C-alpha cells in the first residue's frame, strides 16, 4: 500500500512590509466587505471609531461577490489609488 503524505516543510521567503505612516491622523481608509453576516456592520463601526479618534475618512468601499472570492482587478486598483489603509472585514 502506498501512502501519500500531504505535508511539506515551510518555505522561507523574504517579506517586504509597506512603510508605516508616521501618524494615522487623516488617513484614507479602504474597506473590503467579504459579504459574511455582519461584516458591513463591523467595518462601518470600526471606520466610525477611526474617524472619531484619528480623523480618518472612508475613501473607497469594495464588496466581494462571496467570502471565497478575491477582490477583482478594478477593485484593487481603486483601493491602491484611493486608500492609505485597507481593512478587510470578516463578520460572523
Amino acid at each position: 500500500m502506498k501512502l501519500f503524505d500531504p505535508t511539506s516543510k515551510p518555505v522561507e521567503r523574504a517579506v517586504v512590509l509597506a512603510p508605516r505612516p508616521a501618524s494615522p491622523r487623516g488617513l484614507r481608509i479602504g474597506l473590503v466587505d467579504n459579504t459574511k453576516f455582519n461584516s458591513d456592520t463591523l467595518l462601518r463601526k470600526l471606520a466610525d471609531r477611526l474617524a472619531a479618534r484619528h480623523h480618518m475618512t472612508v475613501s473607497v468601499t469594495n464588496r466581494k461577490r462571496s467570502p471565497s472570492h478575491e477582490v477583482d482587478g478594478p477593485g484593487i486598483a481603486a483601493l491602491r489609488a484611493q486608500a492609505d489603509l485597507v481593512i478587510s472585514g470578516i463578520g460572523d
Side-chain angles (χ1 to χ4, degrees):
M1 173 188 334
K2 280 188 169 184
L3 294 177
F4 176 72
D5 181 2
T7 60
S8 62
K9 295 181 180 181
V11 177
E12 291 187 31
R13 55 184 133 174
V15 176
V16 179
L17 300 176
R20 291 181 181 234
S23 168
R25 188 169 185 82
L27 293 180
R28 302 169 300 160
I29 305 170
L31 301 177
V32 177
D33 177 356
N34 71 356
T35 70
K36 282 191 172 186
F37 184 70
N38 283 333
S39 176
D40 56 343
T41 303
L42 174 70
L43 287 170
R44 180 53 47 203
K45 287 186 179 202
L46 179 57
D48 289 346
R49 287 186 182 191
L50 290 171
R53 291 182 186 175
H54 301 291
H55 303 282
M56 294 176 159
T57 57
V58 175
S59 58
V60 62
T61 302
N62 185 291
R63 184 171 169 85
K64 293 172 27 172
R65 289 190 300 159
S66 75
S68 63
H69 283 88
E70 68 282 347
V71 176
D72 61 15
I76 290 173
L79 290 165
R80 282 185 173 160
Q82 300 173 34
D84 302 307
L85 167 74
V86 176
I87 302 171
S88 178
I90 58 169
D92 284 347

